[in-house]
Structure formats: structure tokens, C-alpha cells
């Protein structure tokens, strides 16, 4: 009966001959196997927790989409159907058809933004050097900016997914027009060599609401979908960047995006 077998095995500096025997090595092998099994179990548990977290986030996103489809999309659809029936009864009721067009346009915006949100789960695989002025001008041309004005006093460049940065800018431009009106001025420029900003001359965002604006469904505009700034936040997060909202130089909203690996 070797009650001190483990003690002898763990004495790394022991040089006496005959100190280790078959029972010692068997005990060491069992101990090693147990440690290996425990580490494997810990690794599996970590993978399981990560998977559960991913599933939880996906379920939250699915619940959000379900809510939008069942409620937000159904409302403008009902409006479109109702006014279409009215227009059919009275062919001269052109205002009814204009209301239908607005309702269908809102549905189209909701669908586009929902698809964009769904794609945000896709990881960024490839990036490229993006010129701020170039992508801003392209985003301005594709967004519904009406009679608004775009100014780009400072250019810059950064490593990013160009398509997603364009989506980010399009959503910030639309947000500026929705809240600042058709004649709003939007300024885009580089920040200190490590980011860029988008600023407008609209009414601004109260300080107490700046933490909430990136939550899905949040909007103060009757025509807003409530998903534009959520998309912006997720695009920044996908680039491991940061975004903050402050008051602009003219009292409007100023969005500052930083840490996008910007280069001069």
C-alpha cells in the first residue's frame, strides 16, 4: 500500500533511483486523462454558451421582424387597400391615390431596411481603402435627399466594407432629411485622422434621448421606420468602431464615427 505515491510523483526534483514504480505512472496517466477530459468539457461548455448566445440574439431579431411584418407592414397595407377602393369608387379622387403611393413607399422602405438588418449578421470578410468623399457622394445620390445640400469640407480614407459604409451614410442622410426637412444641409468630414462625422442643420437630438436612438423601432418622425439608426449602429459595430451623438455647430445632430482604421 503506497499511500505517498502521488506525493512522490509530484516531487520534480527527486533523483533517487527506484522512486517511481508502475503504480505511480498509472496514477499519473489517470490524472492526465482526467485533466484532458475536464479541459475538453470546459471547451465544449464554452462553445455551447456561445452558441446559445447566438441563438438568443437570432431569436430576438426574429421576434423583431415578426412584429414589424405583423404590425408595421400591415398598417400601411391596410391604408393602401382602403384608399384604392375609394379611388375605384371615385376616379376623380387623386388625393386618395397619392396616399396609396405614400403607404406603398413606406412598405418598400420597411422591407429594404429589414433586409439590410438581416444581412448585418454576415461577418465582414473583405475590406478596401474607402475614400470618404467618394462614398459620401455616391450615398447622397442613392438616398432620398430631395432639395437638401451636401457639404464635404474635409476628405479622408479608411479601411472598411465600402457597401456597408455607403448603407450607413444613406441612412444618416435620410435621417437628416426626415427630421431636418427637405432644405437641410448635411456636412460630412474626417475627424483627426481616425474617423468621420455626419452633421446636419436640423433640430438636433435632445441629450436625454441620445442613448435610445439606436434602438430598433425608435423614431420621432411620422414617416420614419425606426430602423435606420439601428442599421447605422450595427454597421459601425461590425467594423469594431464606435459611434456617438453630440450637438452640431448649428444646433443640429452630429454623428461621430471613430476607430475605423482610418488613414491619412
Amino acid at each position: 500500500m503506497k499511500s505517498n505515491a502521488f506525493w512522490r510523483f509530484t516531487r520534480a526534483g527527486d533523483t533517487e533511483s527506484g522512486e517511481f514504480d508502475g503504480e505511480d505512472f498509472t496514477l499519473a496517466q489517470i490524472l492526465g486523462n482526467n485533466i484532458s477530459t475536464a479541459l475538453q468539457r470546459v471547451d465544449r461548455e464554452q462553445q455551447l454558451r456561445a452558441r446559445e448566445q447566438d441563438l438568443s440574439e437570432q431569436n430576438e431579431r426574429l421576434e423583431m421582424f415578426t412584429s414589424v411584418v405583423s404590425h408595421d407592414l400591415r398598417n400601411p397595407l391596410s391604408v393602401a387597400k382602403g384608399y384604392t377602393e375609394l379611388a375605384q369608387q371615385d376616379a376623380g379622387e387623386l388625393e386618395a391615390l397619392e396616399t396609396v403611393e405614400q403607404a406603398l413607399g413606406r412598405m418598400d422602405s420597411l422591407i429594404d431596411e429589414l433586409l439590410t438588418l438581416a444581412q448585418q449578421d454576415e461577418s465582414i470578410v473583405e475590406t478596401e481603402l474607402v475614400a470618404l468623399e467618394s462614398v459620401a457622394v455616391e450615398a447622397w445620390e442613392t438616398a432620398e435627399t430631395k432639395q437638401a445640400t451636401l457639404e464635404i469640407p474635409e476628405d479622408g480614407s479608411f479601411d472598411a466594407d465600402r457597401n456597408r459604409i455607403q448603407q450607413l451614410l444613406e441612412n444618416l442622410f435620410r435621417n437628416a432629411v426626415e427630421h431636418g426637412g427637405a432644405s437641410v444641409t448635411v456636412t460630412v468630414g474626417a475627424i483627426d485622422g481616425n474617423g468621420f462625422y455626419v452633421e446636419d442643420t436640423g433640430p438636433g437630438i435632445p441629450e436625454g434621448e441620445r442613448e435610445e436612438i439606436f434602438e430598433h423601432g425608435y423614431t420621432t418622425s411620422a414617416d420614419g421606420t425606426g430602423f435606420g439608426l439601428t442599421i447605422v449602429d450595427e454597421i459601425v459595430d461590425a467594423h469594431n468602431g464606435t459611434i456617438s451623438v453630440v450637438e452640431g455647430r448649428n444646433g443640429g445632430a452630429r454623428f461621430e464615427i471613430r476607430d475605423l482604421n482610418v488613414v491619412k
Side-chain angles (χ1 to χ4, degrees):
M1 186 76 175
K2 297 181 181 296
S3 60
N4 62 341
F6 176 68
W7 177 80
R8 291 201 308 275
F9 175 75
T10 57
R11 291 176 59 195
D14 200 335
T15 58
E16 295 182 14
S17 61
E19 187 68 23
F20 296 97
D21 58 18
E23 184 177 345
D24 294 331
F25 284 108
T26 300
L27 180 61
Q29 187 176 30
I30 293 174
L31 182 61
N33 289 339
N34 287 341
I35 292 174
S36 177
T37 300
L39 290 175
Q40 291 176 5
R41 183 169 61 250
V42 169
D43 185 57
R44 287 195 300 269
E45 289 176 352
Q46 290 177 339
Q47 293 179 6
L48 181 60
R49 283 195 294 270
R51 179 58 178 164
E52 288 176 347
Q53 178 65 27
D54 290 342
L55 289 174
S56 176
E57 293 175 357
Q58 291 176 13
N59 287 336
E60 289 179 4
R61 191 178 299 274
L62 180 59
E63 289 177 4
M64 178 181 68
F65 290 170
T66 301
S67 172
V68 172
V69 171
S70 64
H71 182 266
D72 291 0
L73 282 177
R74 184 171 293 166
N75 285 345
L77 180 59
S78 297
V79 171
K81 287 182 177 179
Y83 278 92
T84 299
E85 292 175 359
L86 179 61
Q88 290 173 339
Q89 296 172 5
D90 185 355
E93 190 63 52
L94 296 181
E95 290 185 3
L97 294 178
E98 291 177 1
T99 305
V100 171
E101 184 178 11
Q102 293 173 358
L104 294 177
R106 176 171 170 76
M107 289 177 64
D108 188 50
S109 296
L110 282 167
I111 291 170
D112 285 344
E113 294 193 357
L114 283 171
L115 290 174
T116 300
L117 273 175
Q119 293 167 356
Q120 295 312 309
D121 277 341
E122 299 175 4
S123 59
I124 294 177
V125 178
E126 296 184 0
T127 61
E128 61 182 290
L129 192 62
V130 179
L132 178 60
E133 181 175 359
S134 174
V135 71
V137 169
E138 190 169 344
W140 187 262
E141 292 174 349
T142 54
E144 297 179 7
T145 50
K146 302 179 181 179
Q147 301 302 314
T149 301
L150 174 65
E151 296 181 353
I152 309 175
E154 309 99 8
D155 195 7
S157 57
F158 46 89
D159 192 42
D161 183 315
R162 181 184 175 87
N163 289 333
R164 293 200 189 181
I165 294 299
Q166 182 173 336
Q167 289 176 342
L168 179 153
L169 290 168
E170 288 171 352
N171 280 283
L172 287 180
F173 293 161
R174 283 194 290 266
N175 182 73
V177 173
E178 286 177 0
H179 296 88
S183 59
V184 70
T185 296
V186 179
T187 304
V188 177
I191 301 178
D192 302 329
N194 75 338
F196 65 93
Y197 67 88
V198 177
E199 181 177 323
D200 63 59
T201 56
I205 300 172
E207 187 173 356
E209 298 179 15
R210 293 172 188 169
E211 295 289 333
E212 307 172 24
I213 62 173
F214 296 110
E215 297 177 2
H216 72 80
Y218 179 88
T219 181
T220 58
S221 172
D223 297 326
T225 63
F227 293 100
L229 294 182
T230 302
I231 293 171
V232 168
D233 186 48
E234 294 197 0
I235 292 173
V236 173
D237 186 61
H239 285 84
N240 296 317
T242 62
I243 184 169
S244 59
V245 187
V246 298
E247 183 175 331
R249 287 164 291 187
N250 297 308
R254 177 182 170 102
F255 294 84
E256 297 184 346
I257 295 91
R258 300 177 184 272
D259 302 322
L260 291 179
N261 192 28
V262 178
V263 297
K264 297 181 180 180

